[in-house]
Amino acid sequence: MAARADGVEGGIVSRLEGTMLCDLPSKQVPVTVEASTAPKEAYAILLKANVQSAPVYDSAQKKYVGTLDLRDLVPAIVKKGDSDDADGNAGPELLDRILKVSAEMRGLPSDALPLLINPGGFRSVSEEGSLDDATRQLMHKGCYRVSVLNSAGDAINVISQSTVISWLQQHVGEFQKIGSQTVAAAGCGTSPVLAVKDSDPILTAFALIAENDITGVAVINDDGLLVSAVAASDLKALLCEASSVCSLSTVEFLTKVRQDGLGADQVAVRSTDTLAHVITKLASTKAHRVYVVENGKATSVISLTDLLRHIYTNPDFADW
Protein backbone atom coordinates (compact mmCIF):
# COMPACT_ATOMS: atom_id res chain seq x y z
CA MET A 1 0.00 0.00 0.00
CA ALA A 2 1.44 3.35 -1.03
CA ALA A 3 2.06 6.09 1.53
CA ARG A 4 1.48 9.80 1.03
CA ALA A 5 3.97 12.44 2.08
CA ASP A 6 1.78 13.36 5.06
CA GLY A 7 1.91 9.79 6.35
CA VAL A 8 -1.65 8.74 5.45
CA GLU A 9 -1.52 5.32 3.80
CA GLY A 10 -3.51 4.29 0.76
CA GLY A 11 -6.27 5.82 -1.32
CA ILE A 12 -9.96 6.01 -0.57
CA VAL A 13 -10.78 2.46 -1.63
CA SER A 14 -7.83 1.09 0.33
CA ARG A 15 -9.00 2.94 3.44
CA LEU A 16 -12.54 1.60 2.98
CA GLU A 17 -11.09 -1.91 2.75
CA GLY A 18 -9.33 -1.34 6.06
CA THR A 19 -12.41 0.01 7.85
CA MET A 20 -14.16 -2.96 9.45
CA LEU A 21 -17.91 -2.88 9.96
CA CYS A 22 -17.57 -4.09 13.54
CA ASP A 23 -15.50 -0.99 14.33
CA LEU A 24 -18.01 1.55 13.08
CA PRO A 25 -19.54 3.67 15.87
CA SER A 26 -23.21 3.79 16.91
CA LYS A 27 -24.83 0.74 15.39
CA GLN A 28 -28.27 1.31 13.90
CA VAL A 29 -30.85 -1.24 15.03
CA PRO A 30 -32.43 -2.46 11.78
CA VAL A 31 -36.17 -2.47 11.19
CA THR A 32 -37.36 -5.87 9.93
CA VAL A 33 -40.79 -6.91 8.68
CA GLU A 34 -42.04 -10.49 9.09
CA ALA A 35 -43.26 -11.94 5.79
CA SER A 36 -46.56 -13.03 7.33
CA THR A 37 -47.44 -9.50 8.49
CA ALA A 38 -50.60 -8.01 7.01
CA PRO A 39 -49.83 -5.21 4.48
CA LYS A 40 -51.43 -2.44 6.54
CA GLU A 41 -49.45 -3.41 9.63
CA ALA A 42 -46.26 -3.84 7.61
CA TYR A 43 -46.37 -0.38 6.05
CA ALA A 44 -47.36 1.10 9.41
CA ILE A 45 -44.11 -0.35 10.79
CA LEU A 46 -42.12 1.56 8.16
CA LEU A 47 -43.97 4.80 8.87
CA LYS A 48 -43.58 4.50 12.64
CA ALA A 49 -39.86 3.82 12.26
CA ASN A 50 -39.57 6.69 9.77
CA VAL A 51 -37.88 4.52 7.13
CA GLN A 52 -38.69 4.14 3.46
CA SER A 53 -37.86 0.46 3.19
CA ALA A 54 -36.97 -2.55 5.31
CA PRO A 55 -35.87 -6.16 4.82
CA VAL A 56 -38.55 -8.85 4.97
CA TYR A 57 -37.81 -12.02 6.97
CA ASP A 58 -39.68 -15.28 6.45
CA SER A 59 -39.65 -17.23 9.71
CA ALA A 60 -40.93 -20.37 7.99
CA GLN A 61 -38.00 -20.37 5.54
CA LYS A 62 -35.65 -18.92 8.15
CA LYS A 63 -34.20 -16.37 5.73
CA TYR A 64 -34.62 -12.88 4.35
CA VAL A 65 -36.77 -12.96 1.23
CA GLY A 66 -36.66 -9.35 -0.01
CA THR A 67 -37.55 -5.81 0.95
CA LEU A 68 -40.71 -3.79 1.53
CA ASP A 69 -40.65 -0.26 0.06
CA LEU A 70 -43.15 2.58 0.41
CA ARG A 71 -42.52 3.54 -3.22
CA ASP A 72 -44.41 0.43 -4.33
CA LEU A 73 -47.58 2.16 -3.12
CA VAL A 74 -47.12 5.12 -5.49
CA PRO A 75 -49.33 3.77 -8.34
CA ALA A 76 -52.20 3.29 -5.89
CA ILE A 77 -51.55 6.71 -4.31
CA VAL A 78 -51.70 8.37 -7.73
CA LYS A 79 -54.89 6.52 -8.68
CA LYS A 80 -56.48 7.40 -5.35
CA GLY A 81 -55.41 11.02 -5.77
CA ASP A 82 -57.08 11.23 -9.17
CA SER A 83 -60.44 10.43 -7.55
CA ASP A 84 -59.78 11.85 -4.08
CA ASP A 85 -62.73 13.31 -2.26
CA ALA A 86 -60.34 15.25 0.03
CA ASP A 87 -62.08 14.01 3.13
CA GLY A 88 -59.02 14.73 5.25
CA ASN A 89 -58.33 11.18 6.38
CA ALA A 90 -54.81 10.64 7.62
CA GLY A 91 -52.54 7.97 9.05
CA PRO A 92 -54.10 4.48 9.32
CA GLU A 93 -57.30 5.52 7.54
CA LEU A 94 -55.44 6.95 4.55
CA LEU A 95 -53.11 3.93 4.37
CA ASP A 96 -56.12 1.61 4.50
CA ARG A 97 -57.73 3.37 1.54
CA ILE A 98 -54.50 3.26 -0.49
CA LEU A 99 -54.14 -0.47 0.11
CA LYS A 100 -57.72 -1.03 -1.01
CA VAL A 101 -56.97 0.82 -4.26
CA SER A 102 -53.80 -1.26 -4.68
CA ALA A 103 -55.84 -4.46 -4.34
CA GLU A 104 -58.44 -3.21 -6.84
CA MET A 105 -55.70 -2.42 -9.36
CA ARG A 106 -54.60 -6.05 -9.12
CA GLY A 107 -58.15 -7.38 -9.41
CA LEU A 108 -58.08 -8.67 -5.84
CA PRO A 109 -60.54 -8.38 -2.95
CA SER A 110 -59.53 -5.59 -0.59
CA ASP A 111 -58.61 -8.12 2.10
CA ALA A 112 -56.53 -10.31 -0.24
CA LEU A 113 -53.65 -7.95 -1.09
CA PRO A 114 -50.32 -9.74 -0.52
CA LEU A 115 -47.28 -8.06 0.94
CA LEU A 116 -45.56 -6.30 -1.97
CA ILE A 117 -42.13 -7.85 -1.48
CA ASN A 118 -39.24 -7.01 -3.82
CA PRO A 119 -37.29 -10.29 -3.88
CA GLY A 120 -34.20 -8.70 -5.44
CA GLY A 121 -34.04 -5.76 -3.09
CA PHE A 122 -32.32 -7.42 -0.15
CA ARG A 123 -28.52 -7.26 0.02
CA SER A 124 -26.33 -8.13 2.96
CA VAL A 125 -22.75 -8.35 4.19
CA SER A 126 -21.12 -10.22 7.06
CA GLU A 127 -20.37 -8.37 10.29
CA GLU A 128 -16.77 -9.49 9.73
CA GLY A 129 -16.65 -7.59 6.44
CA SER A 130 -15.36 -4.11 5.65
CA LEU A 131 -16.95 -0.84 4.65
CA ASP A 132 -15.59 -1.59 1.19
CA ASP A 133 -17.69 -4.79 1.05
CA ALA A 134 -20.82 -2.81 1.89
CA THR A 135 -19.98 0.02 -0.52
CA ARG A 136 -19.59 -2.38 -3.45
CA GLN A 137 -23.11 -3.64 -2.74
CA LEU A 138 -24.44 -0.09 -2.50
CA MET A 139 -23.22 0.72 -5.99
CA HIS A 140 -25.80 -1.62 -7.52
CA LYS A 141 -28.79 0.15 -9.06
CA GLY A 142 -31.67 0.50 -6.62
CA CYS A 143 -29.58 -0.55 -3.60
CA TYR A 144 -29.53 2.16 -0.95
CA ARG A 145 -29.22 0.10 2.26
CA VAL A 146 -27.30 -3.08 3.11
CA SER A 147 -28.05 -5.28 6.11
CA VAL A 148 -25.14 -6.45 8.25
CA LEU A 149 -25.66 -10.05 9.37
CA ASN A 150 -24.05 -11.85 12.28
CA SER A 151 -22.95 -15.48 12.24
CA ALA A 152 -26.50 -16.61 13.07
CA GLY A 153 -27.86 -14.77 10.02
CA ASP A 154 -29.58 -12.05 12.04
CA ALA A 155 -29.51 -8.42 10.90
CA ILE A 156 -27.63 -6.41 13.52
CA ASN A 157 -26.89 -3.20 11.64
CA VAL A 158 -27.69 -1.23 8.50
CA ILE A 159 -25.17 0.45 6.23
CA SER A 160 -26.67 2.97 3.85
CA GLN A 161 -25.15 5.07 1.08
CA SER A 162 -25.42 7.98 3.51
CA THR A 163 -23.26 6.02 5.98
CA VAL A 164 -20.48 5.85 3.41
CA ILE A 165 -20.84 9.52 2.45
CA SER A 166 -20.67 10.47 6.14
CA TRP A 167 -17.45 8.43 6.48
CA LEU A 168 -16.01 10.14 3.39
CA GLN A 169 -16.92 13.55 4.79
CA GLN A 170 -15.14 12.79 8.05
CA HIS A 171 -11.98 11.75 6.20
CA VAL A 172 -12.15 13.98 3.13
CA GLY A 173 -9.31 16.17 4.37
CA GLU A 174 -6.99 13.17 4.20
CA PHE A 175 -7.47 12.72 0.47
CA GLN A 176 -5.88 15.55 -1.50
CA LYS A 177 -7.04 14.40 -4.94
CA ILE A 178 -10.74 14.29 -4.10
CA GLY A 179 -10.33 17.66 -2.43
CA SER A 180 -8.98 19.24 -5.59
CA GLN A 181 -10.93 17.51 -8.38
CA THR A 182 -13.80 19.65 -9.63
CA VAL A 183 -17.27 18.48 -10.60
CA ALA A 184 -16.50 19.38 -14.21
CA ALA A 185 -13.26 17.39 -14.21
CA ALA A 186 -14.93 14.40 -12.56
CA GLY A 187 -17.77 14.29 -15.07
CA CYS A 188 -19.67 11.93 -12.80
CA GLY A 189 -23.09 13.54 -13.15
CA THR A 190 -25.86 12.25 -15.40
CA SER A 191 -28.25 14.08 -17.68
CA PRO A 192 -30.89 14.95 -18.70
CA VAL A 193 -32.26 15.93 -15.30
CA LEU A 194 -35.68 14.54 -14.47
CA ALA A 195 -37.82 17.37 -13.15
CA VAL A 196 -41.34 18.54 -12.39
CA LYS A 197 -42.62 22.09 -12.34
CA ASP A 198 -43.38 23.63 -8.97
CA SER A 199 -46.99 23.99 -10.12
CA ASP A 200 -47.33 20.28 -11.02
CA PRO A 201 -49.29 18.02 -8.64
CA ILE A 202 -47.04 16.44 -6.02
CA LEU A 203 -48.28 13.05 -7.19
CA THR A 204 -46.58 13.71 -10.54
CA ALA A 205 -43.25 13.97 -8.73
CA PHE A 206 -43.70 10.73 -6.79
CA ALA A 207 -44.87 8.90 -9.92
CA LEU A 208 -41.68 10.01 -11.72
CA ILE A 209 -39.54 8.81 -8.81
CA ALA A 210 -41.24 5.40 -8.73
CA GLU A 211 -41.24 4.89 -12.51
CA ASN A 212 -37.50 5.57 -12.77
CA ASP A 213 -36.48 3.84 -9.50
CA ILE A 214 -34.59 6.92 -8.30
CA THR A 215 -34.36 8.78 -5.02
CA GLY A 216 -35.60 12.18 -6.13
CA VAL A 217 -36.47 14.68 -8.87
CA ALA A 218 -35.68 18.34 -9.39
CA VAL A 219 -38.34 21.01 -9.02
CA ILE A 220 -38.17 23.89 -11.51
CA ASN A 221 -40.23 27.02 -12.13
CA ASP A 222 -41.81 28.18 -15.40
CA ASP A 223 -38.46 29.63 -16.49
CA GLY A 224 -36.72 26.28 -15.99
CA LEU A 225 -34.77 27.48 -12.96
CA LEU A 226 -34.09 25.03 -10.12
CA VAL A 227 -36.12 25.97 -7.05
CA SER A 228 -36.09 22.80 -4.94
CA ALA A 229 -36.23 19.00 -5.12
CA VAL A 230 -38.60 16.22 -4.10
CA ALA A 231 -37.02 13.21 -2.42
CA ALA A 232 -38.41 9.69 -2.19
CA SER A 233 -38.25 10.12 1.59
CA ASP A 234 -40.91 12.84 1.33
CA LEU A 235 -43.37 10.02 0.59
CA LYS A 236 -43.44 9.25 4.32
CA ALA A 237 -44.76 12.74 5.01
CA LEU A 238 -47.47 12.35 2.37
CA LEU A 239 -48.72 9.12 3.94
CA CYS A 240 -48.75 10.64 7.42
CA GLU A 241 -50.56 13.84 6.43
CA ALA A 242 -54.25 14.32 5.63
CA SER A 243 -55.34 12.83 2.32
CA SER A 244 -56.01 16.33 1.00
CA VAL A 245 -52.24 16.85 0.54
CA CYS A 246 -52.51 14.52 -2.45
CA SER A 247 -54.23 17.35 -4.32
CA LEU A 248 -51.54 19.93 -3.54
CA SER A 249 -49.06 21.27 -6.05
CA THR A 250 -45.43 20.31 -5.58
CA VAL A 251 -44.44 23.64 -4.03
CA GLU A 252 -47.52 23.65 -1.77
CA PHE A 253 -46.70 20.16 -0.55
CA LEU A 254 -43.04 20.98 0.14
CA THR A 255 -44.00 24.16 1.97
CA LYS A 256 -46.37 22.17 4.17
CA VAL A 257 -44.13 19.21 5.08
CA ARG A 258 -40.59 20.57 4.92
CA GLN A 259 -39.09 22.16 7.99
CA ASP A 260 -35.64 22.67 6.47
CA GLY A 261 -36.70 25.12 3.78
CA LEU A 262 -37.11 24.88 0.03
CA GLY A 263 -34.07 26.73 -1.29
CA ALA A 264 -32.28 25.43 -4.36
CA ASP A 265 -28.97 26.19 -2.62
CA GLN A 266 -29.52 23.11 -0.43
CA VAL A 267 -29.42 20.77 -3.42
CA ALA A 268 -27.30 22.72 -5.92
CA VAL A 269 -23.57 22.71 -6.72
CA ARG A 270 -21.52 24.35 -9.46
CA SER A 271 -19.28 22.69 -12.00
CA THR A 272 -16.32 24.51 -10.43
CA ASP A 273 -17.00 23.08 -6.96
CA THR A 274 -14.75 20.26 -5.76
CA LEU A 275 -15.91 16.75 -5.02
CA ALA A 276 -15.00 17.45 -1.40
CA HIS A 277 -17.62 20.22 -1.42
CA VAL A 278 -20.17 17.85 -2.97
CA ILE A 279 -19.49 15.23 -0.30
CA THR A 280 -19.77 17.80 2.49
CA LYS A 281 -23.09 19.10 1.12
CA LEU A 282 -24.53 15.58 0.75
CA ALA A 283 -23.45 14.66 4.27
CA SER A 284 -24.72 17.86 5.91
CA THR A 285 -28.12 17.89 4.15
CA LYS A 286 -28.54 14.08 4.19
CA ALA A 287 -29.67 14.41 0.57
CA HIS A 288 -29.25 11.54 -1.88
CA ARG A 289 -28.46 13.76 -4.86
CA VAL A 290 -27.33 17.23 -5.81
CA TYR A 291 -27.88 19.15 -9.03
CA VAL A 292 -25.14 20.81 -11.06
CA VAL A 293 -26.48 24.28 -11.83
CA GLU A 294 -25.41 26.68 -14.58
CA ASN A 295 -27.17 30.05 -14.78
CA GLY A 296 -29.81 28.78 -12.37
CA LYS A 297 -30.70 25.72 -14.44
CA ALA A 298 -29.92 22.12 -13.48
CA THR A 299 -27.73 20.64 -16.23
CA SER A 300 -26.93 17.31 -14.56
CA VAL A 301 -27.48 15.41 -11.35
CA ILE A 302 -24.97 13.64 -9.10
CA SER A 303 -26.51 10.88 -6.99
CA LEU A 304 -24.79 9.03 -4.17
CA THR A 305 -24.52 6.04 -6.52
CA ASP A 306 -22.86 8.20 -9.19
CA LEU A 307 -20.33 9.50 -6.67
CA LEU A 308 -19.45 6.08 -5.26
CA ARG A 309 -19.06 4.57 -8.72
CA HIS A 310 -16.79 7.44 -9.74
CA ILE A 311 -14.53 6.86 -6.76
CA TYR A 312 -14.31 3.14 -7.46
CA THR A 313 -13.72 3.44 -11.21
CA ASN A 314 -11.15 6.24 -10.97
CA PRO A 315 -7.68 4.75 -10.42
CA ASP A 316 -6.52 8.02 -8.81
CA PHE A 317 -8.74 7.27 -5.82
CA ALA A 318 -7.92 3.56 -5.45
CA ASP A 319 -4.31 4.11 -4.44
CA TRP A 320 -1.82 6.94 -4.31
Side-chain angles (χ1 to χ4, degrees):
M1 184 181 292
R4 275 182 23 194
D6 57 8
V8 176
E9 291 189 349
I12 297 176
V13 176
S14 298
R15 291 289 302 280
L16 288 168
E17 290 173 347
T19 302
M20 308 311 293
L21 297 177
C22 59
D23 294 331
L24 292 179
S26 61
K27 288 187 176 182
Q28 178 182 350
V29 179
V31 176
T32 301
V33 176
E34 167 59 44
S36 60
T37 307
K40 182 178 179 179
E41 296 175 9
Y43 288 113
I45 289 173
L46 299 188
L47 293 174
K48 183 177 180 179
N50 195 32
V51 296
Q52 179 181 300
S53 64
V56 179
Y57 185 80
D58 191 323
S59 296
Q61 300 184 55
K62 296 183 178 180
K63 67 176 184 179
Y64 290 92
V65 294
T67 57
L68 186 71
D69 196 314
L70 291 174
R71 286 180 299 176
D72 292 328
L73 295 177
V74 168
I77 294 172
V78 172
K79 185 173 179 62
K80 176 196 171 297
D82 290 340
S83 59
D84 196 10
D85 57 9
D87 60 5
N89 285 345
E93 294 80 10
L94 177 58
L95 181 58
D96 189 54
R97 293 181 60 191
I98 290 172
L99 291 174
K100 286 181 179 179
V101 172
S102 185
E104 292 171 359
M105 293 175 65
R106 292 167 172 76
L108 298 171
S110 59
D111 59 350
L113 180 69
L115 206 57
L116 304 178
I117 301 173
N118 175 10
F122 179 76
R123 290 184 178 273
S124 65
V125 292
S126 166
E127 65 176 332
E128 298 178 352
S130 68
L131 192 53
D132 167 68
D133 295 324
T135 303
R136 291 180 185 276
Q137 296 275 17
L138 290 165
M139 287 189 291
H140 287 86
K141 180 175 174 57
C143 181
Y144 310 114
R145 296 157 63 90
V146 173
S147 295
V148 180
L149 306 184
N150 61 18
S151 57
D154 300 320
I156 59 172
N157 197 4
V158 174
I159 302 296
S160 67
Q161 289 183 329
S162 295
T163 305
V164 182
I165 293 300
S166 178
W167 183 93
L168 288 172
Q169 193 275 329
Q170 293 172 26
H171 297 275
V172 72
E174 301 169 16
F175 304 110
Q176 181 179 0
K177 292 184 179 180
I178 202 169
S180 60
Q181 188 176 65
T182 65
V183 169
C188 58
T190 58
S191 59
V193 174
L194 293 178
V196 295
K197 287 188 176 182
D198 52 9
S199 58
D200 286 340
I202 184 59
L203 295 182
T204 300
F206 286 122
L208 197 58
I209 289 172
E211 290 167 4
N212 292 276
D213 192 21
I214 53 179
T215 57
V217 294
V219 179
I220 59 177
N221 61 20
D222 288 336
D223 296 321
L225 302 179
L226 180 71
V227 296
S228 190
V230 175
S233 57
D234 290 321
L235 184 59
K236 298 191 295 288
L238 183 145
L239 291 170
C240 291
E241 291 284 343
S243 64
S244 56
V245 300
C246 294
S247 62
L248 296 179
S249 69
T250 297
V251 69
E252 289 171 338
F253 172 81
L254 292 177
T255 301
K256 183 177 180 63
V257 305
R258 287 274 182 86
Q259 298 180 354
D260 55 356
L262 298 172
D265 60 317
Q266 294 187 343
V267 292
V269 297
R270 297 170 298 178
S271 60
T272 54
D273 288 332
T274 65
L275 291 187
H277 175 77
V278 172
I279 289 171
T280 298
K281 173 158 282 192
L282 287 167
S284 62
T285 62
K286 295 181 170 37
H288 282 232
R289 51 183 52 213
V290 290
Y291 297 90
V292 183
V293 173
E294 300 294 340
N295 298 319
K297 296 185 177 181
T299 58
S300 62
V301 56
I302 303 175
S303 68
L304 298 186
T305 302
D306 293 330
L307 187 57
L308 295 178
R309 286 177 178 172
H310 175 68
I311 290 172
Y312 269 73
T313 56
N314 190 323
D316 286 342
F317 297 147
D319 257 320
W320 303 111

